[in-house]
Amino acid sequence: MGGDGMTSILFFGLMFVVMYFFMIRPQMQRQKKEKKFQENLTKGTRVVTTSGIHGRVADIQGDIILLDTGASKLRIERTGISQELSMARYDKDTAE
């Protein structure tokens, strides 16, 4: 009977380790990469926002990005920029 408790604890510990390496760690790496990209934005970079709007960075004023979408210009928080446009288009194809 004493072995059943130890087996359960070991099973849950192993399950947490598996979840960490397959779910938590990759998400943390993606967030770190996205934050680094947001910090290094420059004028003229073609980007995609977190809501899916495509445009070009026209101006940077602190944490506010002026995004030229072609039809209009939008003021967006720096954290609203998700990734570079070329990565959004081609990263999924190269991953497969």
Side-chain angles (χ1 to χ4, degrees), residues 7-56:
T7 305
S8 295
I9 292 172
L10 186 60
F11 175 73
F12 283 115
L14 182 62
M15 194 165 67
F16 177 75
V17 169
V18 169
M19 282 181 51
Y20 176 78
F21 280 106
F22 285 106
M23 297 174 71
I24 299 169
R25 189 166 182 259
Q27 180 64 26
M28 288 172 44
Q29 288 176 334
R30 277 191 296 274
Q31 288 173 340
K32 184 185 270 187
K33 183 178 175 184
E34 188 173 296
K35 184 177 180 181
K36 184 178 178 183
F37 171 72
Q38 291 168 352
E39 290 172 352
N40 295 325
L41 276 175
T42 58
K43 289 183 183 180
T45 305
R46 298 188 61 78
V47 296
V48 178
T49 66
T50 54
S51 59
I53 298 172
H54 294 219
R56 183 183 55 81

